[in-house]
Amino acid sequence: MRKFISIALSAVMLISAGAISAMPVMAATVSSPGSSEVTTKPAVDTEPVVVTVNSGKSKKVGYTKDNYKYTFSYSGKGEVIDWEFPNMVEGVDFSVLSMSKDNSKIVIELTESGKQKQLVANAVVKDSTASKEDGEVDDSDAATKDNSNTSPATGAAMAGIAMAGTGVAMLAVSRKKKD
């Protein structure tokens, strides 16, 4: 009987170790809109346009497209200081066709080299704190962390279950030895 328990305990431990080491393989990374990835694909194969405020996601910005002319607009509180187009060079990848007096709206047109890149537009906004009452903070334009590329906690849960099973088996073996 002791040999059987010893063999069974060894088998449980091997299976547990195998299950724990296989967990990371089961988790898959998923690219989500707005995630920053280095890509060598042409812009046609990636998400066409990413629009941010102060480099973070926001519902206060949007865009329209007419062929390769893009109109970006910001509708939130605060003053738009500038528009940035990371990974692009003005005059090489795009041309500014117009900009509103308050900088909340900009129209650009992509050149041939710009058509091959992913278009990322960032509104640089200075928060207007004068209208806020009693120290209230307006976080409507605050960046939110994108956790879509993180694997779920199932691996840790499975490891915990496997370790608990091993502990129960070891307890059973130690009690059998005493009897």
Side-chain angles (χ1 to χ4, degrees):
M1 184 68 164
R2 286 184 180 167
K3 282 187 177 183
F4 174 76
I5 292 174
S6 177
I7 292 170
L9 180 60
S10 297
V12 167
M13 291 177 69
L14 285 172
I15 291 170
S16 297
I20 291 170
S21 65
M23 270 315 132
V25 174
M26 296 174 72
T29 59
V30 177
S31 179
S32 66
S35 68
S36 58
E37 286 186 25
V38 176
T39 181
T40 57
K41 297 179 185 177
V44 177
D45 294 337
T46 61
E47 182 183 342
V49 179
V50 176
V51 187
T52 59
V53 174
N54 295 335
S55 300
K57 290 182 179 182
S58 176
K59 294 179 182 179
K60 304 294 183 184
V61 288
Y63 74 96
T64 59
K65 177 184 175 189
D66 180 20
N67 285 326
Y68 291 100
K69 290 181 184 177
Y70 291 85
T71 302
F72 297 98
S73 57
Y74 173 75
S75 61
K77 295 179 181 176
E79 177 186 350
V80 177
I81 298 170
D82 193 16
W83 286 89
E84 299 174 332
F85 299 93
N87 80 344
M88 298 184 109
V89 177
E90 186 175 355
V92 176
D93 299 315
F94 71 95
S95 298
V96 176
L97 300 179
S98 67
M99 187 180 295
S100 64
K101 288 183 181 183
D102 64 353
N103 296 336
S104 65
K105 188 182 218 181
I106 186 171
V107 180
I108 67 165
E109 184 171 24
L110 298 180
T111 63
E112 286 302 317
S113 69
K115 293 174 186 176
Q116 301 301 313
K117 297 182 178 182
Q118 183 180 30
L119 180 54
V120 178
N122 180 50
V124 180
V125 177
K126 178 181 172 187
D127 290 333
S128 94
T129 56
S131 63
K132 296 176 186 167
E133 299 175 11
D134 298 327
E136 179 182 320
V137 176
D138 178 18
D139 62 353
S140 61
D141 292 329
T144 56
K145 184 176 180 185
D146 180 8
N147 289 325
S148 64
N149 284 345
T150 58
S151 62
T154 55
M158 291 298 288
I161 292 170
M163 295 303 276
T166 304
V168 169
M170 291 176 83
L171 182 61
V173 168
S174 68
R175 286 194 177 179
K176 282 285 186 184
K177 286 183 180 179
K178 288 181 183 178
D179 292 341

